[in-house]
Amino acid sequence: MMKDPYTKDIERVEVEHKEEYQATDSSIAAANAIKYTAYIILFFGFLYFLFQYILPML
């Protein structure tokens, strides 16, 4: 249905509001610190296993 050009009706336009979070959020930094600390612990655990159990067998 077309709008009558002679009426003075105001169209209501809803504006969408978006909240954008910055990438430097402290929770993201903390999560990355925990993740990479776990990677380092796993890596050194693997090296320990390798030197203590695998290399003496050779």
Side-chain angles (χ1 to χ4, degrees), residues 5-16:
Y6 299 108
T7 61
K8 303 263 188 214
D9 292 338
I10 298 174
E11 290 185 27
R12 297 190 183 268
V13 177
E14 293 184 20
V15 178
E16 183 177 341

Side-chain angles (χ1 to χ4, degrees), residues 15 17-19 21-22 24-25 27 30-31 33 43-44 46 55:
V15 178
H17 295 284
K18 292 184 180 179
E19 293 184 22
Y21 298 102
Q22 295 182 1
T24 59
D25 192 15
S27 63
F43 176 71
F44 283 120
F46 175 73
L55 286 180

